[in-house]
Amino acid sequence: VTITAATDAGLLYGVQTLCQLLVGPTNAPAVAGCTITDWPAFGVRGFMHDVGRNFQPINLLKTQIEAFARYKLNTFHWHLTEHAAWRIQSTLYPQLTDATNHWATRDPGSFYTKAEIADFVNYCAERNIKVIPEIDIPGHSQAFRKAMGVTMSDPLAVQALTNIVNELFDLLPTNLVPRIHFGTDEVSGSAETPHPDLIPSVVSTARSRGREVMTWWRGITPVDNDVINQVWAPHSP
């Protein structure tokens, strides 16, 4: 069997194809004689988990990543914050992951440590899956607001979120996490109405750290033309 590819990712996908061709008993597998020429139909092939609402431990996520790598997916959207809970450990603001600041019965107090996040991102990278972390602001921010004791229009929220973004990027190298998602959709009520500097601050901070920025369609507009707008509902141009 000979596998050739233009990139390391291509070699990985070739191995997955070879595994799919294996038939017969495990102690004596066989491969049908054939020639396969293949390439991805889509540049982004991904899936998302909203662990802000429905927490899943790292080992369970790794099991799923292993399975999805066999299907040659290459993107994992990690929705880490929500009304229900904030799942990212912060050295600067440890109250964010305190169970008393999480809501209802959705695994209050469950979160990912910095070590777990860094290890998981590397685990994904070894399987050619890039992680897109999402910090969902200024909507869906009830856990953040409770922990910090501020509304999203407070200048302290601007400073805290800028610090949090930098803290996350200190942990994750640009080549493994080249983009971040800031949500911005479904802003509801005065408590979630953002300070005028909030979105510009986190966007400029992300770009200064070499990251592309994503938001949800129907989110806060305008941000600017370089933000990647992700569609979550039926949409016509």
Side-chain angles (χ1 to χ4, degrees):
V1 176
T2 301
I3 298 174
T4 60
T7 66
D8 290 344
L11 289 175
L12 177 64
Y13 300 145
V15 170
Q16 301 294 1
T17 297
L18 176 61
C19 291
Q20 292 166 358
L21 293 172
L22 293 172
V23 295
T26 55
N27 61 339
V31 179
C34 61
T35 299
I36 294 177
T37 302
D38 193 20
W39 60 90
F42 302 98
V44 177
R45 305 176 302 283
F47 64 106
M48 181 184 81
H49 275 318
D50 183 348
V51 296
R53 289 185 177 95
N54 298 297
F55 184 79
Q56 297 188 43
I58 285 289
N59 286 344
L60 179 57
L61 291 178
K62 284 183 174 181
T63 298
Q64 294 171 72
I65 290 292
E66 194 70 41
F68 283 117
R70 291 199 291 272
Y71 287 92
K72 306 173 188 176
L73 301 189
N74 66 359
T75 303
F76 176 54
H77 184 155
W78 205 6
H79 193 310
L80 287 159
T81 73
E82 250 301 331
H83 279 318
W86 185 281
R87 307 297 191 183
I88 310 167
Q89 182 186 24
S90 172
T91 305
L92 297 173
Y93 309 103
Q95 67 269 34
L96 286 168
T97 51
D98 192 299
T100 60
N101 294 320
H102 293 178
W103 291 87
T105 58
R106 302 214 179 178
D107 299 289
S110 295
F111 65 94
Y112 305 106
T113 67
K114 287 186 173 184
E116 285 178 323
I117 292 170
D119 172 71
F120 179 69
V121 165
N122 278 298
Y123 186 90
C124 291
E126 289 169 356
R127 290 150 183 81
N128 199 52
I129 294 177
K130 283 191 165 55
V131 175
I132 301 174
E134 179 174 354
I135 297 175
D136 200 354
I137 54 170
H140 302 260
S141 60
Q142 198 167 357
F144 172 85
R145 289 183 279 116
K146 184 179 181 184
M148 301 301 295
V150 297
T151 68
M152 303 308 282
S153 63
D154 194 314
L156 293 176
V158 180
Q159 186 59 58
L161 285 163
T162 302
N163 292 340
I164 287 166
V165 169
N166 272 316
E167 188 177 12
L168 184 62
F169 288 153
D170 286 342
L171 185 67
L172 304 175
T174 307
N175 64 315
L176 300 187
V177 183
R179 50 190 64 90
I180 186 170
H181 206 299
F182 287 128
T184 82
D185 65 322
E186 298 183 328
V187 176
S188 177
S190 59
E192 293 185 347
T193 301
H195 188 283
D197 294 337
L198 178 58
I199 301 304
S201 179
V202 294
V203 168
S204 64
T205 299
R207 286 177 175 158
S208 73
R209 301 296 297 269
R211 321 294 169 127
E212 288 186 298
V213 175
M214 300 177 67
T215 59
W216 290 111
W217 176 59
R218 290 179 173 167
I220 291 174
T221 55
V223 179
D224 60 51
N225 292 331
D226 293 323
V227 168
I228 300 168
N229 208 222
Q230 185 177 8
V231 176
W232 59 266
H235 173 53
S236 298

